[in-house]
Structures are given as C-alpha cells and as structure tokens.
Amino acid sequence: MKSFLLRCVFLWATLQRSCMQISVPAAVLNCCEGDILLLLDSSGSVANYEFSRLLLFAAELLRPFSLGRGHVRVALLQVGTEPHLEFSLDVHSSQESLQKALRSVVQLQGDTNTEAALRVTQRLLTKTEDNVPKVLLWLTDGVQPGDVDEPMSELKAQGVSVLVVSTVHGNFQVLQRVVTPPLKSHLYSVDMDSIDIITEDLRRPSSVCVCVWSTRLAF
C-alpha cells in the first residue's frame, strides 16, 4: 500500500512539472526584442464590456515582457472614425507606466475605419529599425473589418507578423486571410468572458513571444 501511494505521489509531481513547462519561461520573455503595435477596435460596434475585456487582455498579455529599446516596445493605435494613436513605441519603458496607460484608455466610438488605421500602422512600423522584429496584434470584434486585405498584405510583405484576436461575431473569412500563418496560433476567435484562456497560448512559441524572439535570431 505504501509503495502504491508513493507511486501516486510521484505521478502527480511529474504531471505538475509537465503542466508548468507549458508556460514560456521568464528568461525567454526577457530575451525578447521587437516592436508590438496593438491595433484596438474602439468603434461603436464594439460593446463597452468587450472593449474593456480586450484592454485587460492586452495588459495581462504584455505584463511579463521587459520594455524599452533592446527589449520590447509597445504602441497602441485605436480604430474609430479617424485613427487615434494612444501612445507610440518609445513612450513606455516600464511595466508600471504601460499598465497605467492601458487603464486610462477611453473608447472612441464612431465608425470602424480600419483602413485608415492601417495606413498609420504602416508608417509606425516601417520607420523602425529593419532588423527588429515587428508584430501587429489586431484586437477587434471583426464584424465590419472593411477593405483590409491589401494594407495587411503590404504589412506582411514588409516583414510584419499579423496576429488577430476577435470576438466570436467576427468575419472569420476576412480575418483568416490577413493573419500570418500558422492560423492555429495567430488567429483566435473567442468569447470575451473566456478571453483569458488564450493569454498563455499567445505567449507560447509561434505566437507573440517567438514572433519577436526567434525572428531576431535569424539576423
């Protein structure tokens, strides 16, 4: 009986270690270097609750990263009738500053003019250092994305990795065309009440972390 209990304890400990290894190690996150632009749908089609959940998700997703030049730089661009740059890439060099800024964001309402926001995105990401990996993370309800295929293709041609997190009401056909492969790890359609379950997925290899980490190793 004692031997059986010991085997059970050993099995439980082994499973716990396996589960812990799923998360991306802090050392890997600290080694990340690159630019992440959050393209946040702030239009009137996004419910206030959905907007707040997307912001909270972004804040939690970015929390483990070291910020600033030589690490990860973050910009936030809101999509409305006219695009609004909440903050640019060089503004926040500490988590305290970034988290405070994300808590202060106010929804724009208005139309969903994603095309205009993508033109601003191109200017922001293409003027940065060529050898720094660039990630566009589009947070949207995806209901009326507009004519985004061409500007998204141009961004990808310029080396920008496009990832999308959408509500379950999004136009999946459009969204799957614009993301950078693989779709499994770069396109998420989720209920806002359950959005937290994809946070670790986006930090795993082939998602946000490796877009700004392993790409860097190629240079």
Side-chain angles (χ1 to χ4, degrees):
M1 180 67 178
K2 183 177 180 180
S3 175
F4 173 76
L5 289 174
L6 286 173
R7 286 198 298 271
C8 288
V9 169
F10 176 78
L11 178 59
W12 176 85
T14 301
L15 290 172
Q16 287 294 101
R17 285 197 299 272
S18 298
C19 290
M20 291 174 63
Q21 289 168 356
I22 292 174
S23 300
V24 177
V28 172
L29 295 174
N30 289 333
C31 287
C32 291
E33 180 180 7
D35 295 336
I36 300 176
L37 190 144
L38 302 174
L39 185 64
L40 177 63
D41 191 342
S42 187
S43 65
S45 67
V46 180
N48 291 336
Y49 174 72
E50 292 175 335
F51 183 79
S52 63
R53 291 293 292 166
L54 286 170
L55 270 175
L56 287 171
F57 166 75
E60 188 59 29
L61 175 69
L62 296 169
R63 192 180 300 275
F65 291 97
S66 296
L67 302 178
R69 286 194 175 273
H71 297 287
V72 172
R73 299 190 303 169
V74 179
L76 174 59
L77 179 63
Q78 294 200 69
V79 177
T81 304
E82 295 294 332
H84 174 70
L85 182 61
E86 194 70 31
F87 51 83
S88 58
L89 291 166
D90 282 316
V91 172
H92 299 293
S93 57
S94 72
Q95 278 294 334
E96 181 181 4
S97 172
L98 175 63
Q99 296 295 327
K100 182 179 179 181
L102 290 172
R103 289 194 299 269
S104 302
V105 175
V106 177
Q107 187 172 1
L108 298 177
Q109 302 291 338
D111 297 329
T112 312
N113 192 353
T114 311
E115 300 101 302
L118 287 173
R119 287 194 291 271
V120 177
T121 298
Q122 288 178 317
R123 293 198 296 270
L124 289 170
L125 290 180
T126 57
K127 72 178 183 180
T128 59
E129 298 177 45
D130 289 338
N131 63 340
V132 174
K134 305 171 185 67
V135 175
L136 171 62
L137 178 56
W138 185 16
L139 306 170
T140 179
D141 65 355
V143 176
Q144 296 177 324
D147 188 11
V148 297
D149 290 78
E150 183 176 345
M152 285 293 196
S153 295
E154 291 173 357
L155 281 166
K156 288 186 289 185
Q158 293 164 347
V160 177
S161 297
V162 177
L163 286 69
V164 178
V165 174
S166 167
T167 69
V168 292
H169 310 294
N171 187 329
F172 192 78
Q173 289 185 331
V174 172
L175 300 178
Q176 69 179 352
R177 288 200 305 267
V178 303
V179 298
T180 301
L183 294 181
K184 183 178 180 181
S185 57
H186 289 177
L187 173 58
Y188 294 89
S189 179
V190 294
D191 186 280
M192 289 296 100
D193 288 328
S194 307
I195 193 171
D196 293 340
I197 65 175
I198 68 170
T199 303
E200 282 298 330
D201 288 341
L202 273 169
R203 291 195 196 125
R204 289 178 190 168
S206 77
S207 297
V208 166
C209 182
V210 169
C211 281
V212 298
W213 182 60
S214 64
T215 308
R216 179 68 173 171
L217 298 180
F219 293 98

